[in-house]
Amino acid sequence: MTIEVLQIACLDDNYGFLVHDNATGATASVDTPEVAPINAALEAKGWKLTHILNTHHHADHAGGNEALKAQWGCTIVGAANDAHRIPGIDVQVSEGDLYEFGATKVKVIEVPGHTSGHIAYYFEQDDVAFVGDTLFALGCGRLFEGTAEQMWVSLEKLMALPDATTVYCAHEYTEANAAFAITVEPDNLALQARIEEIAKLRSQGIPTVPTSISLERATNPFVRATSADLQNTIGLTGADPVAVFAETRKRKDHF
Ligand code: ZN
Ligand code: FE
């Protein structure tokens, strides 16, 4: 591994992440949900914050930018499309950019849908992705600023990452997502098994994040628009994947 990742519980159900580049000591906070726990984690590790990598502008993701920048003088990286609303942004990145973080290259993937400027960060050498509020364990972000078609394309971009990719999502929403997922894909055995596992973890207060591309592909209804079980359950047998995704997202909004 060229990087070490530390996951930090923040606010009610957010996760913040510190990424430490082993070769240079550079340390990034992926989003800034809450300053105090991020600083406590830095202190516990003896790391100095050099970067902030923002996935999107929402306050539970960029709300700590200015305080952390004032304290550490760190460089803030965010989407060029959202530069006007990422507090303190220094470096603007776009689709396909390879940002040099210490000795590590980070690939930028544009994933609009939850917000119009949402991006994901993919650490290719370590096969690790930070997906913000685009993909969740058994879920996906709400469509605040994008269409179902945009979000579907964004999710498919993430699903094109290697199966073994470690996926860090920004919220612990998994139990609620599971309760919905089983209603639209009741016969999915992998989903049934995963739900048992999730209940066990959560009863002990253990995070269900990170997840992996292969696990989501097998169990997350929002990336399974081609599943016959899902299509039949929602009355869209043989329909186009975007229509199936749109209906699934709509049902979750009203669940
Ligand atoms: Zn958000
Ligand atoms: Fe969020």
Side-chain angles (χ1 to χ4, degrees):
M1 297 290 279
T2 68
I3 54 166
E4 180 180 343
V5 178
L6 187 67
Q7 182 168 315
I8 309 160
C10 293
L11 305 173
D12 288 337
D13 53 30
N14 278 79
Y15 290 120
F17 307 96
L18 292 178
V19 182
H20 184 73
D21 179 50
N22 293 324
T24 63
T27 302
S29 186
V30 178
D31 288 333
T32 58
E34 192 180 7
V35 172
I38 292 170
N39 272 329
L42 286 164
E43 191 178 347
K45 288 301 234 176
W47 294 344
K48 292 181 166 54
L49 189 68
T50 56
H51 295 75
I52 290 169
L53 305 177
N54 280 128
T55 63
H56 65 298
H57 72 285
H58 284 159
D60 63 316
H61 298 263
N65 276 20
E66 279 168 334
L68 287 167
K69 187 175 180 175
Q71 181 184 347
W72 295 97
C74 53
T75 299
I76 300 184
V77 181
N81 288 337
D82 258 353
H84 61 288
R85 53 183 184 176
I86 302 279
I89 190 168
D90 298 297
V91 179
Q92 301 183 19
V93 292
S94 309
E95 176 70 21
D97 283 357
L98 280 178
Y99 180 72
E100 288 192 29
F101 162 67
T104 307
K105 286 192 171 56
V106 191
K107 192 174 191 175
V108 175
I109 306 172
E110 291 183 351
V111 285
H114 176 67
T115 65
S116 59
H118 199 304
I119 55 176
Y121 294 95
Y122 179 54
F123 289 71
E124 220 157 11
Q125 288 136 298
D126 292 79
D127 204 9
V128 166
F130 294 89
V131 299
D133 286 355
T134 297
L135 176 67
F136 295 123
L138 294 180
C140 77
R142 280 179 189 266
L143 303 180
F144 287 126
E145 299 179 355
T147 63
E149 176 155 25
Q150 270 180 323
M151 188 60 144
W152 173 253
V153 170
S154 295
L155 290 169
E156 283 296 289
K157 276 162 110 174
L158 295 177
M159 286 298 123
L161 295 172
D163 278 351
T165 303
T166 303
V167 178
Y168 289 95
C169 330
H171 290 270
E172 181 62 57
Y173 286 160
T174 315
E175 239 177 348
N177 289 340
F180 170 75
I182 197 67
T183 67
V184 289
E185 221 184 357
D187 297 333
N188 182 333
L189 297 177
L191 175 59
Q192 292 169 12
R194 189 178 183 192
I195 289 175
E196 278 181 37
E197 179 66 23
I198 289 163
K200 243 181 261 167
L201 292 171
R202 295 311 295 153
S203 70
Q204 299 166 70
I206 300 171
T208 62
V209 173
T211 177
S212 69
I213 293 299
S214 56
L215 187 55
E216 295 314 310
R217 190 53 109 181
T219 56
N220 182 332
F222 297 98
V223 294
R224 291 177 53 75
T226 57
S227 150
D229 187 15
L230 172 62
Q231 292 181 359
N232 295 339
T233 307
I234 67 173
L236 287 174
T237 306
D240 153 275
V242 174
V244 174
F245 169 74
E247 176 63 19
T248 307
R249 184 60 258 179
K250 201 169 99 192
R251 288 184 180 222
K252 174 68 164 65
D253 289 342
H254 301 292
F255 183 66

